[in-house]
Amino acid sequence: MCEICNPQDSGEADEEPETGIIKQEQCSCLTLCTEGQINPDCPVCGAEDAGLSDCKGKAEKEDTKQPEDTGICKHHQAHDESCGYQPASEDGEGSPCTYDCRICPIEELIAALPEVGSITEENGSEVRAQLDQILALFAELTGEEQEQLDLSRCYELQEALDGPMPPTRRRRRMAPPRLRWR
């Protein structure tokens, strides 16, 4: 059977007026058309009211290669001599970053704290233990590192656990060097 005279796929056949031969439009896409990216030069996909199911292009392969873990966090923006990082090269495997961020673990603990409204008598001692752990880690930081932390959630939770304090005591308590949860 002749493919030109009897098209077998779902494309529309057009008859050429001069010869009377039926011409089959074929998708010319190399890449599969998507909702936001249609090949306007393709006679099938670029046609008015064309359906994406008519596209014969191939789907782009996603890059499944995982990026190399470089050990960068927002507190260690670039590698330097002190962190020991060496990228993998063709000649060797390189070496991982040995920077040990002391701020990120505290931020994670703060993010894991419950909302102020969810403190109950049953979980109050657990919340207090979380705050004590944060305070212990905070005390190990340098002044510069301490300034990078937002402890407002800790203060709110502490106030919810202890109740409102007189303004003079609160001011003194809010200063990081004298920070105490109890």
Side-chain angles (χ1 to χ4, degrees):
M1 202 183 302
C2 175
E3 286 288 323
I4 297 172
C5 299
N6 295 314
Q8 299 296 316
D9 67 315
S10 62
E12 293 181 22
D14 290 331
E15 184 177 324
E16 289 190 10
E18 306 86 41
T19 62
I21 297 176
I22 296 176
K23 180 180 141 195
Q24 178 69 36
E25 294 289 347
Q26 293 184 1
C27 177
S28 63
C29 296
L30 298 176
T31 305
L32 186 66
C33 290
T34 60
E35 191 71 38
Q37 197 163 2
I38 296 174
N39 180 359
D41 299 327
C42 174
V44 175
C45 300
E48 196 172 316
D49 298 327
L52 293 177
S53 61
D54 296 332
C55 184
K56 303 296 182 207
K58 299 195 188 297
E60 289 184 352
K61 292 182 181 178
E62 289 186 30
D63 185 12
T64 57
K65 182 180 175 186
Q66 295 295 318
E68 183 179 357
D69 182 12
T70 60
I72 298 285
C73 74
K74 69 181 183 180
H75 307 106
H76 178 65
Q77 296 287 320
H79 295 296
D80 56 27
E81 302 81 40
S82 65
C83 76
Y85 173 77
Q86 291 294 317
S89 66
E90 292 178 13
D91 301 338
E93 293 182 19
S95 61
C97 178
T98 58
Y99 177 78
D100 185 25
C101 184
R102 301 179 333 150
I103 301 169
C104 283
I106 299 172
E107 288 179 333
E108 290 169 7
L109 289 171
I110 292 171
L113 288 169
E115 294 298 318
V116 173
S118 67
I119 297 177
T120 63
E121 286 186 34
E122 291 79 32
N123 71 358
S125 59
E126 182 181 326
V127 173
R128 215 177 271 286
Q130 289 174 290
L131 291 172
D132 287 343
Q133 182 182 9
I134 292 167
L135 177 62
L137 292 171
F138 182 82
E140 295 174 7
L141 299 177
T142 65
E144 185 179 310
E145 290 171 323
Q146 288 177 352
E147 290 175 7
Q148 296 180 49
L149 284 166
D150 177 10
L151 298 176
S152 59
R153 283 194 66 205
C154 297
Y155 298 136
E156 291 170 3
L157 287 168
Q158 184 63 48
E159 189 171 310
L161 288 167
D162 293 345
M165 297 178 291
T168 56
R169 184 173 169 207
R170 181 182 297 157
R171 236 181 279 123
R172 199 171 337 125
R173 187 170 184 192
M174 297 296 275
R178 298 175 181 254
L179 186 66
R180 290 203 176 144
W181 301 124
R182 290 189 179 153

